[in-house]
Amino acid sequence: MITGQHAGLLHGADYNYEQWLNSKDLLDNDLLYMREAGINVLAVGIFSWSLLESDEGVYNFGWLDECFERLYQNGQKIILATPSGSKPAWLSEKYPEVCQVTANGIRQTHGGRHNHCRSSVKYREACVRINTRLAERYGTHPALILWHVSNEYNGMHCYCPQCLAAFRSWLKKRYETLDALNAAWYTAFWSHHFTAWEQIYPADPSIHGLMLDWQRFISDQTIDFFLAETEPLRRITPGIPITTNFQMPDVGLDFHKFARHLDIISWDNYPEWHNSPDDGPVALKAAFFHDLSRSYLGKPFLMMESSPGATNWQGVSKKKKKGMHVLSSIQAVAHGSDSVQYFQWRQSRGGAEKFHDAVITHFGADDTRIFREVAETGSLLKKLSALAGTATEVQAAVVYDFQNGWALDNAQLPRSIEKNYQKECIAQYGAFWKAGISCDVISPEYSDFERYRLIVFPMLYMLSEKTAEKIRSFVRQGGVAVATYLTGMVNESDLCYLGGTPGNLTDVFGLAVEETETIAGYETQEFLMNGHNWKASHYADRIRLRGGAQVLAVFTADTEELPAVTANEYEKGTAYYLCTRTEQTFMDRFYRELCEKHGVQACVPWEIPAGVSVRERGGVLFVMNFNCREIKVLSGENVYTNLLNGETVSGTVSLQPYGVAILADKSDSGEKKSKAQNNPE
Ligand code: GLA
Ligand code: ZN
């Protein structure tokens, strides 16, 4: 594990050395400034192909050799990228097949980035060649700790002949016969029967099974491309771990599936801080993505990129207010990141991102506000170095499934606006985040359910028979499952379950949904629970109880008293069902009570004020204030040391606006609690 090789947490940045080859004085300054900022790792070569290979087979590694040597002598580690994220012009000119083709058959012109064809034999060959050279040349360099394969793979569609042929082979493997394919895609509808594989063209949004399989293929083909790219790295440098920097989901790739091929997860975190008066929801979303990143492989990850200041690609990109840089960096660590890294070290002088902030801005000094905050983060990370590799005990999880998101996007439901799959998953997860209850964000397919006490399945519209069985056995053995409206409506081929939903699980939940009513924006629907009327919106299931399910809440806007929330004891466990979309305050209370009832513990017994997040990692408590005002949190009788300043904290934790406290229990005399196990790797 990288953190084993490199003691402590990583603090680093993308270093685009090649942009400054004619400015030796600035390159010299970089070395000094890196030491000042506590930078210990740099990611190099990410978009360097046209400089590394100026024509087919014409290599120029001199500048990269120099970069490696200078960083190494300066005490920094190196993450080396493969350059496939952006292709050189000579390659597109010589082999036009490397450029993607649009759905109406037009080959794109050269330019931009992240837009190569993933099936192109020529592109794959060219990548293998340059990657082989990189592995042979730098694989044994003592500064190299990790491969950064390509950059931010995405799910862009290419309709070139090679992609179409690959898609049809993928379909043949999946279905074997056209009869099976026609049945799975329900092609009797609108006369869509296919009688030859060549007739299949993946641009017909009226065939949902086709579109879903096309999306799956794009994702699989991207993974296949990644594997082709990494083959020489695995072969020549078996000791160097491999990552690729995932983007914020959802970009059309199944990251749960992709993750299985990485040694270390890394991702690029760009929350839109200060874009609205309340940063709480922004912090919640970032927390969800961090927890998703940790959950992919169930171990610490790297935050490969973040902006030390503002981005330049949001409608309005705000600078981080005082405190926010340290706070947002520490948030990543609190959720399991072993690094804080930036895009980028030195702000580009030209190009599309010349107004994106960097550690060294155009101003060019080490006493800027941004630089000082980066340096402060650097010294903080040093103090927290013992956290590297540590884990958190987690008892609850929310299922977030990329393929389900694609199926929901395709679905033309009676209410198709504001389906908001990701947003709703984040809202359910939010109840745990607010209460200081650690929560994983897991895959229905790859994750092991038995590790958890409580799992939430929000809007799991597409439910495979296999997942249904996993849920059944989870509840049977004592687990607590919560499902919502729109769960289990279709199988993995996007064919509706007959006889009531959630498909294959009506006995587990003790109910069958007869129909789902839509609630229009102007309508008011409410349900009564615990003596309180809660708002319901968007969807409302009309259910029939089956077996002994208990009704916990009823809708009140209609004369019929229809169930809104139910609970069913199934063997050793309990299955709850939320028939409607609820307001956040309901979820906050519902999950808090559920956790209390079923023994899922928060990391502290405190009342946590709005906009404050408390996380435990490696036996240390992170208390983070995302409010723009000072907050005092009542922290009980325990005596803590604030690792930030060595102060003793007892009774009250005082947090500055965007402030953070990192608390070690004093009764442990500074030692880490044994509660959190060290990651075995
Ligand atoms: C992404 C990319 C970087 C850069 C940043 C800017 O994460 O990987 O190359 O474009 O965004 O925010
Ligand atoms: Zn293609």
Side-chain angles (χ1 to χ4, degrees):
M1 175 82 187
I2 187 173
T3 46
Q5 282 173 12
H6 181 101
L9 300 168
L10 297 173
H11 188 217
D14 285 10
Y15 188 32
N16 291 302
Y17 190 85
E18 66 277 20
Q19 294 176 16
W20 303 97
L21 296 179
N22 296 325
S23 313
K24 291 286 178 212
D25 52 330
L26 297 187
L27 291 176
D28 287 343
N29 278 352
D30 283 344
L31 299 177
L32 173 70
Y33 291 171
M34 284 170 187
R35 292 200 304 270
E36 281 178 15
I39 293 287
N40 54 24
V41 70
L42 281 312
V44 303
I46 298 171
F47 296 110
S48 307
W49 200 343
S50 58
L51 280 189
L52 289 172
E53 191 179 5
S54 55
D55 203 345
E56 190 164 2
V58 181
Y59 299 103
N60 170 20
F61 291 113
W63 66 269
L64 190 54
D65 292 352
E66 187 185 281
C67 172
F68 257 77
E69 255 346 274
R70 287 164 68 91
L71 291 176
Y72 177 54
Q73 296 305 334
N74 206 42
Q76 273 91 34
K77 299 283 179 191
I78 292 177
I79 297 173
L80 179 58
T82 68
S84 67
S86 189
K87 48 195 172 343
W90 60 259
L91 191 64
S92 308
E93 188 188 27
K94 204 159 182 181
Y95 306 109
E97 66 164 68
V98 304
C99 294
Q100 294 184 345
V101 169
T102 62
N104 42 13
I106 297 166
R107 176 83 61 190
Q108 286 177 345
T109 51
H110 177 79
R113 64 171 180 174
H114 300 157
N115 55 7
H116 60 270
C117 167
R118 280 143 300 187
S119 307
S120 161
V121 173
K122 288 292 172 196
Y123 200 67
R124 287 179 178 218
E125 283 172 3
C127 288
V128 167
R129 269 200 319 268
I130 183 77
N131 293 0
T132 301
R133 293 295 178 117
L134 288 171
E136 285 169 350
R137 197 169 185 98
Y138 302 104
T140 54
H141 196 287
L144 181 69
I145 55 166
L146 178 67
W147 285 109
H148 176 303
V149 177
S150 201
N151 191 67
E152 292 198 337
Y153 285 111
N154 62 42
M156 268 167 72
H157 300 187
C158 174
Y159 300 81
C160 77
Q162 290 184 70
C163 281
L164 293 179
F167 178 48
R168 289 169 190 146
S169 312
W170 184 95
L171 289 172
K172 281 180 197 162
K173 226 191 224 162
R174 184 175 175 90
Y175 295 108
E176 290 178 8
T177 66
L178 276 175
D179 282 349
L181 175 143
N182 280 312
W185 291 357
Y186 205 70
T187 51
F189 188 78
W190 285 0
S191 188
H192 283 316
H193 274 110
F194 293 105
T195 53
W197 297 95
E198 292 65 36
Q199 293 162 0
I200 298 167
Y201 195 78
D204 184 348
S206 73
I207 310 176
H208 293 175
L210 164 62
M211 297 320 287
L212 184 60
D213 278 342
W214 171 241
Q215 191 70 64
R216 285 171 172 147
F217 161 76
I218 296 279
S219 183
D220 283 0
Q221 193 72 347
T222 306
I223 297 171
D224 191 64
F225 177 86
F226 163 86
L227 292 175
E229 246 211 273
T230 48
E231 182 280 324
L233 313 181
R234 292 268 183 228
R235 181 165 40 81
I236 301 165
T237 61
I240 304 294
I242 287 179
T243 192
T244 183
N245 52 334
F246 284 169
Q247 295 188 59
M248 271 195 293
D250 183 11
V251 292
L253 298 177
D254 185 345
F255 284 142
H256 283 302
K257 193 168 187 183
F258 203 152
R260 257 116 271 279
H261 301 282
L262 306 184
D263 301 317
I264 297 172
I265 298 297
S266 66
W267 84 286
D268 299 344
N269 176 34
Y270 291 97
E272 304 193 19
W273 300 120
H274 317 310
N275 239 321
S276 64
D278 184 4
D279 280 305
V282 186
L284 161 62
K285 193 169 172 182
F288 179 84
F289 291 144
H290 284 313
D291 280 347
L292 173 64
S293 302
R294 195 193 59 253
S295 305
Y296 286 135
L297 294 181
K299 63 180 190 182
F301 59 93
L302 303 177
M303 180 168 69
M304 186 63 81
E305 291 181 28
S306 61
S307 178
T311 68
N312 68 331
W313 47 258
Q314 299 168 24
V316 176
S317 297
K318 294 282 296 171
K319 303 280 175 188
K320 287 173 172 171
K321 294 191 177 156
K322 189 171 180 307
M324 182 51 95
H325 180 66
V326 168
L327 174 64
S328 58
S329 301
I330 289 304
Q331 185 190 25
V333 175
H335 283 266
S337 180
D338 274 354
S339 79
V340 173
Q341 291 163 264
Y342 312 113
F343 175 83
Q344 60 178 328
W345 169 254
R346 187 178 275 282
Q347 188 170 18
S348 304
R349 194 161 178 208
E353 294 181 322
K354 57 183 174 295
F355 296 120
H356 192 293
D357 274 330
V359 180
I360 306 295
T361 58
H362 292 155
F363 194 78
D366 59 349
D367 61 354
T368 59
R369 184 182 63 86
I370 289 182
F371 188 91
R372 282 199 308 268
E373 289 179 8
V374 167
E376 187 187 341
T377 307
S379 55
L380 209 56
L381 293 176
K382 259 187 217 138
K383 287 188 196 162
L384 299 177
S385 61
L387 285 177
T390 58
T392 301
E393 197 181 293
V394 185
Q395 296 175 303
V398 169
V399 164
Y400 177 62
D401 180 28
F402 298 96
Q403 297 197 20
N404 179 57
W406 306 335
L408 265 170
D409 284 346
N410 291 336
Q412 290 163 278
L413 295 165
R415 175 164 182 141
S416 264
I417 58 162
E418 299 173 328
K419 282 181 262 181
N420 294 347
Y421 173 54
Q422 186 185 87
K423 196 171 163 202
E424 283 310 306
C425 289
I426 294 175
Q428 308 265 341
Y429 163 91
F432 298 88
W433 180 76
K434 289 178 180 186
I437 299 167
S438 300
C439 186
D440 281 350
V441 180
I442 62 172
S443 156
E445 192 171 348
Y446 303 103
S447 305
D448 172 16
F449 290 177
E450 316 299 333
R451 294 182 45 197
Y452 304 99
R453 287 271 320 117
L454 187 158
I455 305 179
V456 187
F457 300 86
M459 296 171 68
L460 195 58
Y461 162 81
M462 186 173 69
L463 180 73
S464 68
E465 283 174 27
K466 225 168 118 201
T467 301
E469 263 326 290
K470 273 177 78 172
I471 296 175
R472 175 186 301 280
S473 109
F474 169 68
V475 180
R476 177 180 285 143
Q477 290 170 51
V480 179
V482 183
T484 73
Y485 59 95
L486 302 190
T487 291
M489 295 186 83
V490 300
N491 68 9
E492 60 268 42
S493 298
D494 212 353
L495 292 174
C496 293
Y497 284 107
L498 305 179
T501 65
N504 287 350
L505 288 175
T506 51
D507 57 333
V508 175
F509 286 88
L511 59 90
V513 179
E514 181 187 319
E515 60 176 350
T516 301
E517 172 65 300
T518 55
I519 303 176
Y522 69 87
E523 286 178 305
T524 316
Q525 178 60 282
E526 291 187 337
F527 61 92
L528 182 68
M529 190 161 163
N530 294 337
H532 188 95
N533 266 324
W534 304 94
K535 283 202 177 58
S537 67
H538 296 76
Y539 305 94
D541 288 332
R542 171 185 284 265
I543 61 165
R544 295 189 190 189
L545 296 176
R546 285 195 178 158
Q550 200 192 339
V551 177
L552 303 182
V554 288
F555 287 112
T556 52
D558 301 318
T559 44
E560 296 175 272
E561 296 208 329
L562 295 171
V565 181
T566 62
N568 191 48
E569 308 286 324
Y570 179 78
E571 308 225 354
K572 291 191 195 138
T574 316
Y576 292 85
Y577 192 83
L578 302 174
C579 299
T580 186
R581 187 170 288 176
T582 68
E583 56 187 310
Q584 184 70 47
T585 42
F586 169 78
M587 279 184 270
D588 295 348
R589 178 157 167 192
F590 175 72
Y591 284 114
R592 187 181 282 234
E593 287 176 3
L594 222 59
C595 287
E596 266 166 33
K597 179 164 181 198
H598 295 285
V600 176
Q601 280 165 3
C603 61
V604 286
W606 319 334
E607 261 314 308
I608 301 172
V612 172
S613 159
V614 186
R615 287 278 311 176
E616 181 274 334
R617 181 184 179 192
V620 170
L621 289 175
F622 294 79
V623 191
M624 299 170 275
N625 179 19
F626 293 94
N627 297 291
C628 59
R629 59 181 191 286
E630 195 187 342
I631 296 275
K632 290 194 188 308
V633 184
L634 298 179
S635 55
E637 284 167 11
N638 271 15
V639 184
Y640 301 97
T641 306
N642 186 348
L643 298 180
L644 292 187
N645 50 22
E647 283 173 9
T648 297
V649 174
S650 173
T652 307
V653 190
S654 297
L655 298 160
Q656 293 299 307
Y658 305 117
V660 56
I662 305 176
L663 306 178
D665 204 327
K666 243 193 163 169
S667 51
D668 286 356
S669 50
E671 297 285 311
K672 279 191 296 172
K673 272 199 251 167
S674 57
K675 189 173 147 204
Q677 311 125 352
N678 271 336
N679 191 294
E681 283 171 80

